[in-house]
């Protein structure tokens, strides 16, 4: 079977300025997509150029530019603190973005659509490793349920459009991401970025200790964002849920969402040790047990995506080293 996307496709990457969007653009270019000599194009409008909250603007943009493949990487994201502090923003903003882009992609006949979600769609106490069937089988982690519910709604909208109208949409649920383009904001960053920032700054300032949230006991899985970028292109090229050989659930039904990860997890305490060693920080790590831990363990079952022939390439050690180096360069530039 040939590839499901071609060199003359017109790609719209919604959220092209974010960490995931940048990685997808890099992977598309690496695979030769978007080159004008082959009739291809990559649309990467900024927020100023296209307001995804405004349905009228989104519709006009689709009418004018006529994309054939759409990748929805735009989202409001953040760590435990941000999710707890802004629950209404997390659910409302994500629902608006998703509904506008998905509906217009369907209305204007996009041939392939990729929706990017998150492993937080799964129940807090899902059986480990978490398989795709765990969706809606239990209660969510309370600290990020607002974001999770919006992502479940997006996934189910894509599934419903495929079921009712044959809209060719696929959904990928990545584990915790890190790497180039990550967000190091003190309140909105995820665990890897927050940790790298803390240990690099502690070494620079000769701080006697670094304080981390929670007990350090939760287990988490981390995927380099470039691996997600490559997985996204791989699935756009090769995964058609309507094919007989496509991954099925335990009841033999086609799956419309697949997990993306490494299939390996690490405790937050051990991660802190790894980051501090790579940074070369020799002070103490203190755990603030008054802060929430979140889900006790979150490891994805990646057997379905593996059965299609995809696997991650970047080791955790290699990825952290690269990301530490990128953060140090970023700090130097901002001085």
């Amino acid at each position: 079977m040939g590839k499901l996307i071609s060199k003359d496709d017109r790609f719209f990457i919604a959220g092209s300025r974010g960490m995931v969007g940048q990685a997808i653009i890099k992977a598309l270019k690496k695979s030769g997509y978007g080159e004008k000599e082959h009739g291809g194009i990559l649309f990467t409008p900024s927020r100023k150029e296209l307001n995804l909250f405004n349905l009228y603007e989104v519709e006009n943009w689709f009418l004018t530019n006529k994309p054939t493949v759409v990748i929805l990487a735009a989202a409001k994201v953040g760590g435990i603190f941000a999710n707890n502090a802004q629950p209404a923003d997390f659910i409302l903003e994500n629902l608006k973005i998703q509904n506008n882009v998905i509906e217009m992609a369907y209305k204007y006949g996009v041939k392939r659509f990729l929706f990017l979600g998150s492993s937080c769609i799964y129940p807090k106490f899902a059986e480990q490793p978490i398989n795709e069937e765990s969706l809606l089988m239990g209660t969510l982690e309370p600290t990020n349920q607002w974001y999770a519910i919006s992502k479940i709604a997006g996934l189910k909208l894509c599934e419903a459009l495929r079921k009712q109208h044959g809209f060719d949409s696929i959904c990928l649920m990545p584990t915790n991401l890190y790497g180039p383009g990550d967000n190091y904001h003190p309140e909105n960053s995820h665990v890897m970025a927050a940790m790298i920032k803390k240990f690099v700054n502690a070494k620079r300032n000769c701080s006697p200790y670094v304080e981390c949230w929670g007990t350090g006991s939760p287990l988490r899985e981390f995927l380099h964002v470039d691996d997600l970028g490559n997985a996204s292109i791989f699935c756009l090229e090769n995964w058609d849920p309507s094919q007989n050989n496509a991954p099925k659930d335990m009841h033999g039904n086609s799956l419309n969402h697949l997990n993306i990860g490494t299939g390996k997890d690490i405790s937050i305490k051990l991660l802190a040790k790894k980051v501090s060693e790579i940074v070369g920080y020799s002070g103490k790590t203190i755990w603030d047990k008054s802060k929430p831990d979140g889900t006790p363990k979150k490891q994805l079952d990646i057997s379905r995506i593996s059965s299609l022939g995809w696997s991650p390439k970047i080791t955790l050690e290699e990825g952290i080293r690269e990301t530490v180096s990128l953060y140090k360069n970023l700090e130097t530039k901002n001085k």
Side-chain angles (χ1 to χ4, degrees):
M1 191 180 76
K3 288 179 179 173
L4 300 167
I5 53 173
S6 55
K7 294 294 186 330
D8 62 354
D9 272 317
R10 300 163 65 83
F11 291 84
F12 169 32
I13 301 93
S16 59
R17 302 302 193 274
M19 174 170 70
V20 173
Q22 288 174 43
I24 287 170
I25 291 165
K26 184 169 29 171
L28 280 166
K29 287 179 175 176
K30 190 177 163 188
S31 297
Y33 293 103
E35 293 176 357
K36 283 181 183 174
E37 58 266 36
H38 296 131
I41 191 165
L42 300 184
F43 293 111
T44 59
S46 67
R47 284 183 187 181
K48 280 184 180 176
E49 292 164 332
L50 176 59
N51 177 8
L52 297 177
F53 296 129
N54 186 316
L55 182 60
Y56 176 76
E57 267 194 50
V58 176
E59 179 153 25
N60 272 348
W61 190 93
F62 270 84
L63 261 170
T64 305
N65 295 290
K66 300 176 175 57
T68 57
V69 179
V70 174
I71 300 163
L72 180 49
K76 179 178 177 62
V77 296
I80 289 175
F81 180 89
N83 274 272
N84 258 340
Q86 306 158 43
D89 294 350
F90 271 86
I91 193 164
L92 191 57
E93 290 185 22
N94 281 304
L95 285 173
K96 279 182 181 176
I97 291 168
Q98 292 165 193
N99 289 348
N100 290 347
V101 176
I102 296 169
E103 186 183 359
M104 289 306 108
Y106 163 64
K107 184 174 178 179
Y108 290 98
V110 163
K111 77 170 193 183
R112 291 228 87 191
F113 186 94
L114 171 60
F115 175 76
L116 288 151
S118 162
S119 59
C120 74
I121 63 164
Y122 295 117
K124 178 172 182 173
F125 298 108
E127 196 174 312
Q128 304 286 328
I130 306 167
N131 61 28
E132 287 84 354
E133 291 92 335
S134 299
L135 181 64
L136 300 175
M137 297 299 284
T139 53
L140 299 163
E141 159 57 42
T143 56
N144 65 8
Q145 61 181 312
W146 324 102
Y147 176 71
I149 286 168
S150 70
K151 286 294 165 187
I152 292 168
L155 181 160
K156 285 294 179 185
L157 176 54
C158 287
E159 197 178 300
L161 284 167
R162 174 179 285 278
K163 188 176 179 180
Q164 188 176 338
H165 299 293
F167 181 52
D168 188 7
S169 58
I170 55 173
C171 306
L172 298 181
M173 301 298 124
T175 190
N176 299 289
L177 299 168
Y178 72 99
D182 209 343
N183 168 27
Y184 295 94
H185 188 279
E187 291 172 2
N188 298 332
S189 59
H190 287 107
V191 61
M192 183 74 85
M195 212 170 259
I196 286 171
K197 180 175 183 172
K198 280 181 179 182
F199 283 106
V200 169
N201 291 353
K203 186 187 179 188
R204 184 183 293 123
N205 301 327
C206 302
S207 304
Y209 67 90
V210 165
E211 191 175 277
C212 294
W213 274 32
T215 63
S217 64
L219 294 155
R220 291 289 180 273
E221 179 181 0
F222 295 93
L223 180 73
H224 193 284
V225 72
D226 284 348
D227 273 333
L228 173 60
N230 291 328
S232 299
I233 310 316
F234 176 88
C235 287
L236 281 168
E237 288 179 336
N238 300 295
W239 174 38
D240 178 356
S242 65
Q243 293 290 319
N244 288 334
N245 61 350
K248 305 284 192 291
D249 67 16
M250 59 182 67
H251 305 294
N253 302 311
S254 286
L255 284 161
N256 211 58
H257 69 283
L258 294 180
N259 293 337
I260 305 287
T262 62
K264 300 170 187 171
D265 61 11
I266 183 173
S267 74
I268 297 299
K269 195 167 272 187
L270 190 55
L271 179 69
K273 186 172 183 285
K274 202 178 269 285
V275 172
S276 68
E277 284 170 357
I278 288 169
V279 167
Y281 175 71
S282 53
K284 287 184 177 178
T285 303
I286 294 170
W287 296 90
D288 180 357
K289 292 173 185 175
S290 70
K291 297 291 194 297
D293 268 340
T295 306
K297 178 178 168 76
K298 204 164 73 168
Q299 179 190 357
L300 293 182
D301 176 345
I302 60 164
S303 60
R304 266 58 178 263
I305 182 75
S306 301
S307 73
L308 289 172
W310 178 85
S311 61
K313 301 289 185 285
I314 302 165
T315 66
L316 188 60
E317 183 97 10
E318 184 189 341
I320 293 172
R321 284 191 187 281
E322 181 213 40
T323 311
V324 165
S325 177
L326 287 169
Y327 175 70
K328 285 178 177 175
N329 292 339
L330 191 68
E331 285 289 276
T332 307
K333 270 186 196 173
N334 292 340
K335 278 189 175 179

